[in-house]
Amino acid sequence: MQDGYVPGATVASRAATIAADFAAIDLVRSSNMKAVLFNLGANDSYALPAEATWKANLATILDAMNAQWPAAKVYVMRPWTRAHPAECNTMATWTNAVLVARAAWASVGPDERVYLENGDDGVTYTYDGVHPTAAGYVLTAAQWKTALGY
């Protein structure tokens, strides 16, 4: 794991490894964490699991983040993929439901369904309907900055 990126990861696969992932983090470096930026779910859009399973896995990840960095606010991106917009809408609804019980320390972050999709099915800001172009990454950074109040 480098900076939390694992190709092909799903909410279920990361929930299964969250304890090991955190064990590998340098806690001295991360002890003053103010915000945790979470973006996962695009791969789930290809084959949505059962709602209760997906929500439980997301809750596991978010609760582990809160336990690891109790002073940090956790922000959750709503993912988008060109091929599965309805599934992404479903996950956004599920995400909102999971966040309700965690509102004191977690909230929604940017929404790829809006800014990455961009009204043109992702043509401007993705090279394949999933992965951002260079301009898409610049826009993603700007979206995170806005979510963080900068």
Side-chain angles (χ1 to χ4, degrees):
M1 179 180 83
Q2 180 179 358
D3 297 328
Y5 177 75
V6 176
T10 63
V11 172
S13 70
R14 294 316 298 256
T17 64
I18 195 74
D21 294 342
F22 285 164
I25 293 173
D26 177 356
L27 295 178
V28 173
R29 177 176 56 96
S30 64
S31 63
N32 295 319
M33 189 79 66
K34 303 286 187 235
V36 178
L37 312 181
F38 179 77
N39 184 1
L40 189 62
N43 291 323
D44 290 293
S45 73
Y46 292 90
L48 280 182
E51 178 179 357
T53 301
W54 194 90
K55 286 178 174 178
N57 286 328
L58 179 60
T60 294
I61 294 167
L62 298 179
D63 292 345
M65 290 175 172
N66 184 53
Q68 182 75 31
W69 302 291
K73 180 87 170 188
V74 178
Y75 296 87
V76 182
M77 176 83 76
R78 276 78 45 86
W80 173 80
T81 63
R82 177 182 295 147
H84 300 98
E87 290 83 350
C88 292
N89 289 338
T90 296
M91 286 186 295
T93 300
W94 294 351
T95 297
N96 291 341
V98 171
L99 291 174
V100 166
R102 293 157 180 82
W105 50 266
S107 65
V108 293
D111 193 340
E112 290 181 347
R113 299 171 306 152
V114 175
Y115 80 88
L116 202 57
E117 192 281 334
N118 192 45
D120 64 1
D121 205 24
V123 171
T124 300
Y125 293 116
T126 73
Y127 63 86
D128 61 358
V130 179
H131 301 94
T133 60
Y137 279 117
V138 169
L139 182 58
T140 298
Q143 293 291 315
W144 278 121
K145 284 178 67 175
T146 298
L148 294 168
Y150 296 104

